[in-house]
Amino acid sequence: QEQLVESGGGVVPAGESLRLSCVASGTTFSRSYLAWFRRPPGEEREFVAFVNLPGESGPPAVYADSVKGRFTISRDNAKNTMYLQMNNLEVGDTAIYYCAAGLRLGSYDTWGPGTQVTVSS
């Protein structure tokens, strides 16, 4: 069964950058749709970004409006790893960030434990 582990979280001042990684163990990573979600303090989990399968029809990536132009999602199937490059971080980006994977578009059945990102003013 696929397992996911996030890393790269931390505490940074507003305006700085972080890169999150999500490493997968298992054999289905290259065939999985992948995404990042986050849960801000006291709020519900929300979508951040999605990366499509290479060569699949549709957009290669989709972003929440709140992160568009600042965050970049990518995947390296050879390394079983997904990334989230986060630039120009804002206090409102403070959250626990989760990576998710699924073999069906829009359905994520494997989740990582999360990594904390804290942006200070």
Side-chain angles (χ1 to χ4, degrees):
Q1 184 177 352
E2 199 83 9
Q3 290 187 324
L4 304 175
V5 179
E6 305 93 340
S7 63
V11 180
V12 294
E16 294 295 313
S17 300
L18 280 175
R19 188 175 81 156
L20 304 183
S21 298
C22 173
V23 178
S25 61
T27 60
T28 61
F29 181 86
S30 64
R31 296 183 285 117
S32 296
Y33 298 96
L34 306 172
W36 288 97
F37 290 78
R38 67 186 183 186
R39 186 190 301 274
E43 299 183 29
E44 297 295 315
R45 186 173 62 197
E46 62 186 25
F47 168 79
V48 175
F50 158 83
V51 62
N52 209 343
L53 290 167
E56 190 87 344
S57 61
V62 177
Y63 296 93
D65 287 344
S66 59
V67 306
K68 203 172 295 183
R70 299 188 298 121
F71 290 13
T72 303
I73 189 172
S74 61
R75 64 190 296 165
D76 185 339
N77 285 347
K79 295 182 179 180
N80 269 21
T81 303
M82 173 176 64
Y83 304 98
L84 185 67
Q85 178 66 43
M86 306 187 294
N87 297 330
N88 193 20
L89 283 160
E90 302 171 352
V91 173
D93 295 319
T94 294
I96 301 173
Y97 283 72
Y98 302 90
C99 61
L103 295 176
R104 292 188 300 167
L105 185 62
S107 177
Y108 302 105
D109 50 20
T110 303
W111 294 79
T115 185
Q116 176 72 48
V117 172
T118 302
V119 184
S120 60
S121 59

